Amino acid sequence: MNHRVLPGAPIPAVMGVLNVTPDSFSDGGLFADPEKALQRARQMVEAGVDCLDIGGESTRPGAQPVSLGEELERVCPVLEAIRGELTIPVSVDTSSPEVMREAARLGASLINDVRSFRREGAVDAAGATGLPLCIMHMQGEPATMQDRPHYADDVVAEVLAFLRYRRDELVAAGIAVERIMVDPGFGFGKSLEHNLRLLDRLETITAEDWPVLVGISRKSMLGRITGRGVEQRMPASVAAASIAMIRGASVVRVHDVVETLDAARLVRALGELEKTEGQGHE
Ligand code: HH2
């Protein structure tokens, strides 16, 4: 596990979600206004979050794609406002090459693409930014990905194979391997059982020499297990993030930053203890 993509951040790090969309599944419409988004960013920074992730396109199951103009209009003013006031690293969640370029120009620190830079021109645009990149596994496209998710044999092996393959393709395109972070993509073309298997065997993915980002916060898998609506999923989200961190995730992407930060602090303290014990035995 390492942090080459978020220099200086603790391990595990907490990434606060800032959706500037009208239709995101848990915070849609709440922070679409730039002033409200900035206020939310300030709150998260005050809580001690390690980075923010701004998204201008909802990728919830069934979501329709957003136009480029609209995505730029949603993301850019918020990124500019945050950059004008806060020093926190900001990731931009986008699949659009134009948004990637603009985000880099406005001071983004990371590009997070749920489509793993598979849109035309995305590898070139992302490569040219010089920024760290997060590649994520998704089966299908958001509009239809939950219709009938299917894996021939072992979902964990398939996700791992995809992430390795995509990492290698980016490296072949000239992107330094140190710039790449990976994400198994919880909820993206996966049934409840697929998601549970991925969480159960997350160490298969975190054991590789790359930083792993995990986003389970408030997702429907937690609703299915607890029977709770989106607004009541904080405890299950913190539990899921804790499991992911204990199993080696370097970054957790969450909505409930205050509570998840406490869990992260506990996991960090355990990590420190392990280091000291390691030294004691030398
Ligand atoms: N999940 C969502 C969006 N972006 N990026 C990464 N790397 N990993 C994730 O798991 C991930 C992601 C979906 O959650 P959210 O942003 O809260 O909802 P919406 O897509 O409806 O905006």
Side-chain angles (χ1 to χ4, degrees):
M1 179 170 59
N2 62 60
H3 243 324
R4 47 201 189 200
V5 299
L6 278 178
I11 297 176
V14 176
M15 170 185 270
V17 177
L18 187 55
N19 283 316
V20 290
T21 54
D23 56 343
S24 286
F25 79 94
S26 88
D27 53 358
L30 289 181
F31 311 116
D33 169 62
E35 187 47 43
K36 287 204 178 117
L38 183 59
Q39 270 173 26
R40 177 70 186 141
R42 284 189 197 119
Q43 264 177 8
M44 290 197 275
V45 168
E46 228 160 86
V49 85
D50 303 297
C51 67
L52 300 175
D53 186 44
I54 307 182
E57 177 198 9
S58 173
T59 47
R60 72 179 197 289
Q64 296 304 312
V66 63
S67 77
L68 169 62
E70 208 162 323
E71 195 182 346
L72 285 167
E73 259 171 51
R74 290 176 185 174
V75 172
C76 296
V78 175
L79 179 55
E80 267 187 297
I82 292 175
R83 269 295 65 93
E85 182 180 315
L86 303 165
T87 54
I88 184 107
V90 177
S91 152
V92 172
D93 191 342
T94 185
S95 298
S96 152
E98 290 82 358
V99 177
M100 291 171 192
R101 275 192 280 269
E102 209 39 29
R105 194 181 68 77
L106 295 173
S109 304
L110 191 141
I111 309 286
N112 170 29
D113 182 4
V114 298
R115 296 182 182 80
S116 283
F117 307 91
R118 284 180 288 171
R119 273 211 188 138
E120 200 181 337
V123 170
D124 288 346
T129 65
L131 294 175
L133 310 176
C134 181
I135 55 175
M136 194 197 80
H137 177 274
M138 167 162 61
Q139 188 176 80
E141 271 289 312
T144 52
M145 66 190 178
Q146 289 308 106
D147 289 354
R148 258 169 176 269
H150 174 77
Y151 295 84
D153 183 18
D154 175 3
V155 61
V156 182
E158 260 187 64
V159 167
L160 179 59
F162 169 83
L163 294 172
R164 281 183 182 151
Y165 166 79
R166 198 58 194 141
R167 175 210 45 205
D168 293 347
E169 281 194 330
L170 293 189
V171 169
I175 293 164
V177 73
E178 293 75 25
R179 280 171 60 192
I180 301 173
M181 173 156 73
V182 305
D183 180 340
F186 285 91
F188 286 86
K190 290 161 188 103
S191 67
L192 174 60
E193 191 191 328
H194 296 143
N195 286 316
L196 286 174
R197 289 202 186 284
L198 277 167
L199 185 58
D200 185 42
R201 289 171 48 212
L202 191 66
E203 276 158 341
T204 310
I205 293 171
T206 59
E208 301 262 317
D209 183 26
W210 52 24
V212 176
L213 184 152
V214 165
I216 308 182
S217 183
R218 299 188 187 172
K219 284 187 179 168
S220 69
M221 64 179 277
L222 303 178
R224 292 269 308 279
I225 292 169
T226 61
R228 298 191 191 281
V230 169
E231 295 307 319
Q232 273 79 48
R233 292 181 194 160
M234 183 275 285
S237 299
V238 176
S242 303
I243 295 168
M245 292 187 283
I246 289 166
R247 296 194 173 155
S250 298
V251 184
V252 287
R253 180 185 180 278
V254 303
H255 302 84
D256 300 292
V257 294
V258 172
E259 296 81 359
T260 313
L261 273 160
D262 279 357
R265 288 177 184 122
L266 179 57
V267 178
R268 289 170 198 163
L270 292 176
E272 287 304 313
L273 196 66
E274 263 172 37
K275 271 193 226 158
T276 336
E277 280 170 356
Q279 282 161 10
H281 292 301
E282 267 169 23

